[in-house]
Structures are given as C-alpha cells and as structure tokens.
Amino acid sequence: MRKRQCSLLLNTLCALCVLWSTTVQGQETSLLDGIADSNNVVDKISGAFKSSRVIHAHSIEMISKGNLDFRILHRFGEVSDGIKTLFGLDQASMRMSFDYGISDNFTVGFGRSTYKKEYDAFLKYRIVQQSRGAKTVPVSVVVAAGALARTANEFSFTGRELSGTDKTSFYVQAIVGRKFNQKFSMQLSPMWLHMNYVDAKSNDNDVFGLGGGARYKLSKHLALTLDYHHVVGKRPGGLYDPLAIGVDIETGGHVFQLHLSNAVGMNERAFLYDTDANFLRGDIRFGFNLSRMFDLRKFKR
Amino acid sequence: MKLMFMFLLLMGAVQLCAQRYATSTAKLSFFSASTLENIEAVNSQGICVIDAQTSALEFQAMLKGFEFKKALMQQHFNEDYVESDVYPKVNFKGKIKNAPKLWTKDGEYDVTVEGQLTLHGVTKSMVAPGKISIKNGVVSASAKFDVAASDFNIKIPASKKNNINNTVQVNVNISSFKLLKAP
C-alpha cells in the first residue's frame, strides 16, 4: 500500500517534471530573448529637418562629422515690383557659406553676404540629441554663437564714419526642437543679439529674437517649412518681424529651400534687425537656399 | 521507477541548458553596384544566436547601426528607404540544415540556412548557403545571399535607378561565437 502510494507520487512528479520542462521550452519564443532587447539600445532620432537651417535660422540638425556643406543663398527683390523687375528677380542679394562638421555634435561655419558686405562666423554645438529606447530624451538641445562684421562703408547720422568695431555684432542662441513623428518637427530658438553700435540712443544695442520653426513632410523628398522670429527690443521704426514660408526639395546631395519671406538679410543680425518689409501687407520676396554636401571623410571598412 | 524519475529529471535539466552559441558582434555588410555609384555599408553589431540542439538560428541588427561611406547615404538609407524610425531592425529567424552534429569537433561545414527575413515591415521566406567552421572549439560562421529591395516594399524612385541597384548583396561574418550558459 505504502509502496503504491510512493510510486504514484513519483509518477505525478515525473509527469510534472516533463510538463515543466516542455512549458519552459514552449515559452521561449525567441532565441534572442534576454540577449537582444531593443530597449537596450539608444535609438537616436535624427532628420527633424532636411537641412541645418530651417530657412533663415539654425535648425537642430548638425553637419555630420567630416562633411562640408556649401550653401548659396539668394534673396530677390519684392514680388510686388511686378513684371518690370520680373517680380523682383532683377535684384539679388546673396550669401555664400561653408559649414563643416568637426564632430557629429559640433559644427563651425563661415559666410559672407553681399548685403552690407557682412562676414559671419559661428560655432554650433549639440548638447543633447533626441532619442528613445534605452535612453529617452524628448528634445534635442543645440546652442549656437556667432560673430558678424559689416565691411561696407557706413556713417552715423552725425556724419562720423563707423569703425570696424562699430560694425561688429554678436549673437548667442539656444535651439530646442523635437521630431514629433515622421512628418512633423518643431523648434523654438530664443536668441540674443548684441550690436556694438546702433544709430540712435533710443534704440537698443541688445535685442532678442524669439524664434520658431517647423517642418511638415509632404513626401519623402518634399517638405513645407516655416521660420519666424519675434523681435523684442527697441529698433528703428519701419522694421518688422522676419517670417518665411517655404518648401524643402531634396535631390540626393542637394537640398533646395525655396521660400517667400519679408527678410532681405541672410545672417542672424540682418534678418533680425534689417527686415523692413511687412509680410502681411504683401511685401514678399522670393528666395532660395541651395545646400550641397561634400563628404570629406575616408571610408573605413 | 526511481531510475526513470532520475532520467526524466536529467532530460529536463539537459533541455533547460540547451547549448546556445551567441554573438553581439556579427558583421553584416551589404553592397549594391549600379552605373553611377556603388553603395556599401557595414554593421558590426549584429546579434546572432544558434541553438546547437535544435539548429535554430536567429539574427538581428539595428538598421541605424549601418555605417556608409557617405553620411548623406546613411541619412537617406534610414529616412527614405528602410525608414528605421518606424522599422528599427532587421530580423532573421530560421533553421540550419545539415548543421554540425557535434559543435565541439573541429571542422568545416557547408550548411544551408532556411527561414524568415523581416525587414521594413515585410516578412519573406529565404534560403541562403552558409559556412560554419569550428577550430580549437571556437565556432565561426559566414553566409552570403542577395536581397531584392522591392521584395520588402522598399521603393527606389525612377530618378535613382542609376544610383541604387534593386538587388543588394549581403554578407554575414561571425568571427567567434560565445557559448552561453543556461538562462
């Protein structure tokens, strides 16, 4: 009797044991379980904007390490000038620049505008990049700082010729942006601009630009863009907030940014402080940015 | 009876600690030749696990881990072609045909891998020839096969037909597997 009980117990145990081993095996749906967990990988989000500029302003995108971005920018005359100037195309203001990626998070750039013969140089650093997975970071944060120098002859309204120092300005900018999904990205970019000399005591040497930029992808190679700055600070009369609406067209190594805007300037000082047309009243210019990327790295296999 | 119990217990234990070979440094590369330019990329962070007992094999790699000759190519690959924000990884799940019976014995084995390749939200059956070699107890493996982008709903626009070939040659190279302890 006792022996039978014992063997019964053993039988049950055996059955349980087999059951246990099979269920444990059955649960193992993937060999990678516990080895490859996609949550263990930091998935960096990039491509919030097609280019390192939204339209006028720096975007949260950086130039990849070892890449040189050659940019040619044009702003034409006002469209409202009509057919006589072929809707402004007769007059072109131009900026040419070279931006280079020292690392994936550090870009330097240098440019010159025909407008007021102004040179500009900047440093741009990405503090954090938006990511998901092992490390969730909701936004990318970038800081940029630059110096600008006008070289065209300028005179104060008392008739004194302005010195090089007078014609020098500086800006510091923080850019916080997020790629919300495959199509929509947005950024906010407060900026502080200091000009060594402004023409009247009543105007501020320091003005602030509260920038906002957005992009909406219509297809893989076409996107709508918006770039706006609200300027805080006392400026001479007749100046307006720069606003631009455009499309980004990407064709392999080139990005074409075609847009309508009220700004004639293509650097931070010029678009914040020299925009003398009112977009809402229809004083609009056609313009384009052309970006050509050169990869100067050697491929390591 | 007792003996049988012991035997079953042992079987269970053996099954539980089935020998698994794994690596997280599998080198995955691809090459596409076309009239205007060649496109090649390397990812050396592929994860591969082989169950020596069942000959089951699984492979996985993050698409953002592919490094290209040009940064722009890499951007376009992720943004426009494989859409890695939406489909972050490539996965293969299958079985090794004519796998070595003893994974500890030195030798070279020509094998065939059969299974399902998942990429860009599409799963396709595929067969690829491969090689497993065991030398001084170290297991290494390689495989070579072609993948057609169109099979995985990856569209190459007409304007890029001269830059990108629809057929991509894929190479997998695993220099050494680690023997995994039972989980």
Side-chain angles (χ1 to χ4, degrees):
Chain A
M1 188 66 191
R2 208 170 194 192
K3 206 173 176 183
R4 189 175 278 178
Q5 260 188 348
C6 194
S7 70
L8 199 76
L9 190 75
L10 269 176
N11 269 329
T12 338
L13 265 174
C14 284
L16 276 174
C17 180
V18 171
L19 206 72
W20 176 61
S21 61
T22 47
T23 48
V24 166
Q25 284 234 316
Q27 273 171 0
E28 198 182 6
T29 50
S30 168
L31 287 171
L32 300 172
D33 283 352
I35 296 167
D37 188 352
S38 56
N39 290 326
N40 283 338
V41 185
V42 180
D43 184 5
K44 287 182 179 169
I45 307 292
S46 59
F49 292 88
K50 281 269 180 238
S51 174
S52 65
R53 302 271 179 163
V54 181
I55 293 175
H56 301 311
H58 288 295
S59 76
I60 49 172
E61 293 307 313
M62 307 296 291
I63 308 293
S64 301
K65 184 182 180 179
N67 278 242
L68 180 73
D69 184 17
F70 174 48
R71 300 174 65 85
I72 298 173
L73 286 61
H74 277 75
R75 304 291 182 267
F76 295 99
E78 287 181 10
V79 174
S80 57
D81 289 350
I83 191 71
K84 212 171 131 192
T85 64
L86 196 60
F87 305 97
L89 294 188
D90 280 357
Q91 325 147 22
S93 173
M94 190 246 211
R95 176 177 177 266
M96 196 164 71
S97 70
F98 296 92
D99 296 359
Y100 181 74
I102 290 183
S103 79
D104 283 343
N105 292 321
F106 186 43
T107 300
V108 295
F110 176 77
R112 186 194 183 267
S113 307
T114 56
Y115 182 69
K116 297 190 175 176
K117 302 190 191 299
E118 189 162 29
Y119 289 86
D120 67 271
F122 71 87
L123 308 172
K124 184 176 172 185
Y125 182 71
R126 179 162 59 197
I127 299 169
V128 284
Q129 184 174 4
Q130 186 184 343
S131 67
R132 61 184 184 187
K135 202 172 121 201
T136 305
V137 180
V139 291
S140 290
V141 180
V142 174
V143 287
L148 312 106
R150 304 189 295 279
T151 59
N153 292 336
E154 282 181 43
F155 297 89
S156 73
F157 71 107
T158 55
R160 176 177 71 88
E161 182 165 7
L162 297 186
S163 68
T165 318
D166 287 337
K167 291 185 283 189
T168 305
S169 333
F170 304 92
Y171 71 90
V172 180
Q173 186 180 25
I175 314 160
V176 180
R178 176 176 164 83
K179 185 180 189 177
F180 285 89
N181 53 47
Q182 290 295 97
K183 291 188 163 159
F184 182 66
S185 310
M186 211 186 104
Q187 67 169 44
L188 294 171
S189 53
M191 182 185 353
W192 166 51
L193 169 70
H194 172 82
M195 287 154 291
N196 280 349
Y197 174 86
V198 287
D199 216 5
K201 278 259 155 58
S202 55
N203 292 328
D204 290 333
N205 285 81
D206 297 85
V207 296
F208 297 89
L210 305 174
R215 99 77 203 260
Y216 185 81
K217 247 174 145 174
L218 298 174
S219 76
K220 276 179 182 162
H221 303 283
L222 186 71
L224 286 177
T225 52
L226 177 81
D227 188 333
Y228 173 72
H229 285 80
H230 176 62
V231 184
V232 180
K234 187 95 178 58
R235 290 179 294 174
L239 294 184
Y240 295 89
D241 291 345
L243 169 67
I245 299 168
V247 287
D248 280 7
I249 302 166
E250 184 203 20
T251 62
H254 295 91
V255 178
F256 295 94
Q257 300 183 292
L258 314 180
H259 59 264
L260 296 171
S261 113
N262 58 342
V264 67
M266 286 159 277
N267 62 44
E268 277 64 18
R269 188 205 59 79
F271 69 71
L272 277 193
Y273 207 77
D274 284 341
T275 299
D276 57 2
N278 186 347
F279 194 97
L280 301 175
R281 211 174 55 204
D283 302 336
I284 298 169
R285 302 160 183 280
F286 172 66
F288 69 81
N289 302 349
L290 165 62
S291 153
R292 167 75 210 186
M293 195 68 78
F294 297 95
D295 202 318
L296 307 178
R297 292 174 310 165
K298 286 221 171 81
F299 187 46
K300 281 186 214 105
R301 214 165 294 230
Chain B
M1 194 67 226
K2 255 184 196 166
L3 211 74
M4 182 147 163
F5 172 66
M6 290 292 280
F7 177 71
L8 280 171
L9 202 71
L10 209 71
M11 280 292 285
V14 164
Q15 278 200 311
L16 270 177
C17 48
Q19 281 197 321
R20 294 199 297 172
Y21 289 91
T23 177
S24 57
T25 55
K27 195 169 152 189
L28 186 62
S29 59
F30 69 77
F31 182 79
S32 134
S34 61
T35 27
L36 284 182
E37 58 188 341
N38 294 334
I39 293 170
E40 48 187 321
V42 184
N43 184 339
S44 36
Q45 285 160 10
I47 294 166
C48 185
V49 181
I50 294 174
D51 187 320
Q53 217 144 43
T54 61
S55 300
L57 176 148
E58 219 172 314
F59 191 100
Q60 185 174 297
M62 303 305 285
L63 290 164
K64 282 188 186 167
F66 279 97
E67 288 181 22
F68 287 68
K69 187 168 64 182
K70 289 183 178 173
L72 262 188
M73 281 181 180
Q74 196 163 328
Q75 271 171 36
H76 295 161
F77 170 77
N78 285 299
E79 286 256 316
D80 303 336
Y81 296 97
V82 295
E83 299 178 85
S84 53
D85 273 352
V86 188
Y87 314 103
K89 50 197 169 196
V90 55
N91 179 283
F92 179 83
K93 202 170 178 177
K95 264 202 148 90
I96 306 169
K97 290 277 165 82
N98 46 8
K101 291 206 169 55
L102 254 180
W103 287 75
T104 42
K105 200 180 154 202
D106 282 10
E108 296 248 331
Y109 306 86
D110 285 319
V111 297
T112 308
V113 183
E114 249 182 64
Q116 310 282 318
L117 182 67
T118 307
L119 173 67
H120 198 234
V122 179
T123 301
K124 271 244 135 107
S125 292
M126 59 167 298
V127 182
K131 206 166 231 168
I132 291 174
S133 55
I134 303 164
K135 207 175 176 187
N136 305 326
V138 178
V139 181
S140 59
S142 66
K144 203 175 200 174
F145 53 94
D146 283 357
V147 169
S150 51
D151 282 353
F152 295 90
N153 201 20
I154 298 169
K155 291 185 191 97
I156 297 161
S159 60
K160 292 279 177 294
K161 284 274 193 275
N162 288 330
N163 301 69
I164 306 164
N165 196 327
N166 185 49
T167 307
V168 174
Q169 295 158 15
V170 182
N171 269 302
V172 184
N173 249 304
I174 297 162
S175 55
S176 73
F177 278 100
K178 278 195 193 97
L179 183 58
L180 277 196
K181 297 264 156 52

